[in-house]
Amino acid sequence: MEYILQITPALLRGAGVTLGLFAVVLPLSLPLGFLTTLLQRCRFRPLAWLANGYVFVMRGTPLMLQLFFFYFGLPFVPWIGKYLTMAAFPCACVSFTLNYAAYFAEIFRGGLLSIDKGQYEASKVLGLSRAQTMLRVIVPQMIRVTLPSIGNEAITLVKDTALVTAIALPEILHYAKGAVTRDFTTAPFVVAAVIYLLINLVVALAFQQMERRFAYAGREGGGLR
Amino acid sequence: MSVIEVEGLQKSFGRLQVLKDISFQVEQGDCVAIIGPSGSGKSTLLRCLIELETADGGSIRIHGQLLVERGIYAPAAKTRPIIARMGMVFQQFNLYPHLNVVDNLELAPKLVKGLRGAELRGRSLELLHKVGLAEKASSFPGQLSGGQQQRVAIARALMMEPEILLFDEPTSALDPELTGEVLSVMKELARERMTMVVVTHEMGFARDAANRVLFMHDGCILEEGSPERIFSNPQRERTRVFLQSVL
Ligand SMILES: Nc1ncnc2c1ncn2[C@@H]1O[C@H](COP(=O)(O)OP(=O)(O)O)[C@@H](O)[C@H]1O
Ligand SMILES: [Mg+2]
């Protein structure tokens, strides 16, 4: 017990990195993901191809590879490499944001597909512009449809932050592994697991709350507002 | 001047020609019922009038203003105000599920006309009262029956003060016992001389509320006339067969 209390402060310091990364990546990758979805639907085809290519690459390669690419790889790009050198934390933020935006783009794309075309037609007939239709009619419904999947990704994001230990960012797992190899005990891994679980419990509860707020009354379930 | 003038309207989906040379007029205060077997192009015709589909050929004039001339649409800056004079009620209601009834009514007037405050609220409550749903103002569409939803949809269309209302089978998605409440709202509008074009399978409505009936078959208007003429003395064999099948 005493030992656990002794190692916990270090692990909590690591949790600071996890939370920091989470707090930067989620608010940046959601709008970027939505922008990507809009570009994928863009009538100017080259932009749509670009967006599709971006999603394809980000989803088709390991996040760990992307992290290495941005941290170890970019500095070696001829000529401009020296301007692309980033410290570990900003670098992790950039690669995670780009990666998660691609996943969110796919989620939003599915969300938009699920919205009945009658919603667009009714809006057009009532005189709403395309932007007004998107903002006031489509997006609120899309958010409701996609919130459960977004919550799921948020939980994955918390766990994925463990990857940054590979670019020497000291997060939870980094301290836990250090303690295990130093003190020959499994306890630090258990403490690390508990910390991840606690963070994700909060994340899950937060999303549950938001789902409740975005639910609107209907026959198909969804609570009263 | 006719309120709606359609001349030689044509529309194809791929190789399927859905509208073949459609011509008709609608006068101020008319209630025109369009009847005909399913697949004959009734919805497509209605949707072309309000630019939910784009016609391939022919002309459409609304209040004398050209929407389409020989298959070519006026620029959006011109078609927008023309379309704004029309409202449409859909078979599937298409209410906004995330907004309550009042917000469904008020969204477009707010965004499009910049209306706000007591004047807007007064108007929406008045229209809800008119369709008999004053007490449902803060309900969500999902909490209403189909008939109630369709009446909200009619009120929502009326909020924009259209001069012409188009209805595409407004009662076809409803349980039979709920059609009456919607039809009586529509009859009330017809009595007030709202200009209406109604695609319907409700022959009772066509006979009682419409002053003109168009019978469509296979992309053409085969026959048109007063309800008495179409229902009691159809000239075409096709019309007779259709009426026998639905009456
Ligand atoms: N968007 C579309 N794409 C392809 N075919 C369509 C489309 N809309 C309607 N059609 C076809 O056009 C024909 C007429 O349809 P519609 O106007 O809906 O008839 P109605 O309303 O009289 O039942 C049908 O054969 C239908 O399958
Ligand atoms: Mg139809």
Side-chain angles (χ1 to χ4, degrees):
Chain A
M1 191 64 207
E2 203 176 310
Y3 176 71
I4 289 176
L5 287 179
Q6 186 197 325
I7 57 163
T8 301
L11 292 188
L12 286 181
R13 221 174 311 136
V17 171
T18 292
L19 292 176
L21 203 54
F22 183 83
V24 172
V25 170
L26 198 63
L28 287 182
S29 56
L30 282 169
L32 185 62
F34 186 60
L35 186 72
T36 307
T37 310
L38 292 183
L39 288 181
Q40 283 178 311
R41 296 156 56 95
C42 182
R43 280 192 220 149
F44 180 61
R45 295 320 292 170
L47 270 183
W49 293 331
L50 201 69
N52 283 328
Y54 161 69
V55 171
F56 176 70
V57 170
M58 286 295 158
R59 291 204 314 156
T61 57
L63 177 53
M64 180 82 101
L65 171 64
Q66 293 162 23
L67 202 56
F68 282 173
F69 179 84
F70 283 108
Y71 190 66
F72 300 116
L74 279 189
F76 296 123
V77 175
W79 314 113
I80 54 166
K82 59 173 176 286
Y83 303 110
L84 298 176
T85 309
M86 284 180 281
F89 186 76
C91 180
C93 288
V94 168
S95 26
F96 272 68
T97 298
L98 290 177
N99 180 273
Y100 271 80
Y103 281 93
F104 287 137
E106 276 303 286
I107 290 173
F108 289 141
R109 197 173 64 84
L112 289 183
L113 285 178
S114 76
I115 292 168
D116 190 82
K117 76 176 189 350
Q119 295 289 308
Y120 295 91
E121 293 184 349
S123 305
K124 177 172 182 191
V125 165
L126 287 167
L128 271 59
S129 70
R130 285 157 63 93
Q132 287 169 336
T133 303
M134 208 60 193
L135 227 57
R136 305 299 294 269
V137 177
I138 305 303
V139 167
Q141 296 184 52
M142 180 197 75
I143 290 178
R144 171 182 134 129
V145 175
T146 54
L147 256 183
S149 317
I150 291 172
N152 214 19
E153 287 299 314
I155 286 173
T156 308
L157 172 60
V158 170
K159 294 182 292 179
D160 274 353
T161 57
L163 292 176
V164 300
T165 186
I167 58 169
L169 246 188
E171 54 72 70
I172 305 172
L173 195 58
H174 169 86
Y175 289 112
K177 184 155 169 282
V180 166
T181 49
R182 185 184 64 222
D183 305 330
F184 305 110
T185 157
T186 38
F189 282 152
V190 176
V191 176
V194 169
I195 294 177
Y196 282 118
L197 284 173
L198 286 178
I199 295 176
N200 272 333
L201 183 67
V202 173
V203 171
L205 287 176
F207 270 90
Q208 206 175 52
Q209 207 56 39
M210 275 192 284
E211 276 174 43
R212 216 168 278 159
R213 243 176 45 95
F214 271 92
Y216 30 84
R219 301 254 145 125
E220 342 74 51
L224 284 170
R225 185 147 70 175
Chain B
M1 182 173 61
S2 304
V3 178
I4 303 176
E5 288 169 84
V6 175
E7 232 180 85
L9 193 70
Q10 299 184 9
K11 169 73 184 171
S12 302
F13 290 111
R15 291 210 317 253
L16 177 70
Q17 190 170 18
V18 176
L19 298 179
K20 306 164 183 168
D21 197 29
I22 298 271
S23 301
F24 68 99
Q25 275 122 42
V26 177
E27 308 300 329
Q28 181 72 44
D30 266 357
C31 177
V32 176
I34 302 181
I35 62 172
S38 104
S40 55
K42 305 181 297 296
S43 298
T44 306
L45 171 57
L46 220 53
R47 292 164 60 83
C48 282
L49 293 180
I50 199 160
E51 218 186 346
L52 287 176
E53 304 285 357
T54 51
D56 307 327
S59 310
I60 301 175
R61 273 195 177 77
I62 309 289
H63 288 285
Q65 290 175 296
L66 270 168
L67 186 67
V68 195
E69 184 171 30
R70 281 186 247 121
I72 297 166
Y73 278 78
K78 282 212 176 126
T79 59
R80 236 168 191 271
I82 299 176
I83 287 170
R85 304 171 80 163
M86 296 185 270
M88 180 150 178
V89 174
F90 300 86
Q91 184 175 348
Q92 301 297 339
F93 330 133
N94 295 344
L95 291 178
Y96 298 136
H98 61 299
L99 300 179
N100 69 22
V101 166
V102 186
D103 291 339
N104 261 279
L105 265 60
E106 294 181 354
L107 184 69
K110 266 185 200 154
L111 295 180
V112 179
K113 295 187 170 172
L115 297 183
R116 304 231 116 54
E119 187 196 342
L120 177 61
R121 184 51 52 93
R123 180 159 173 73
S124 52
L125 293 182
E126 181 193 322
L127 282 173
L128 279 181
H129 185 75
K130 183 184 173 106
V131 299
L133 290 171
E135 77 287 7
K136 296 291 185 188
S138 55
S139 301
F140 282 78
Q143 297 170 307
L144 303 178
S145 74
Q148 291 170 330
Q149 289 190 56
Q150 194 60 298
R151 285 185 282 152
V152 172
I154 294 173
R156 182 176 70 172
L158 291 173
M159 284 297 285
M160 298 303 284
E161 303 183 299
E163 293 159 34
I164 305 165
L165 259 188
L166 310 176
F167 293 81
D168 190 3
E169 299 197 31
T171 57
S172 294
L174 302 178
D175 295 335
E177 71 271 20
L178 299 178
T179 59
E181 59 192 63
V182 172
L183 291 174
S184 71
V185 168
M186 292 167 60
K187 282 179 187 162
E188 174 67 25
L189 289 173
R191 250 195 312 278
E192 294 167 9
R193 305 305 306 275
M194 165 68 83
T195 307
M196 299 160 70
V197 182
V198 184
V199 171
T200 186
H201 287 301
E202 293 288 338
M203 294 306 141
F205 176 84
R207 199 188 331 227
D208 303 339
N211 62 330
R212 230 144 47 82
V213 177
L214 308 186
F215 174 69
M216 272 188 79
H217 186 271
D218 200 17
C220 303
I221 295 176
L222 270 197
E223 193 166 351
E224 70 169 290
S226 66
E228 303 83 61
R229 218 198 71 159
I230 298 285
F231 287 105
S232 339
N233 188 20
Q235 304 296 302
R236 308 287 292 255
E237 181 59 25
R238 287 278 183 205
T239 318
R240 226 179 309 243
V241 170
F242 173 75
L243 289 173
Q244 268 162 13
S245 75
V246 292
L247 287 178

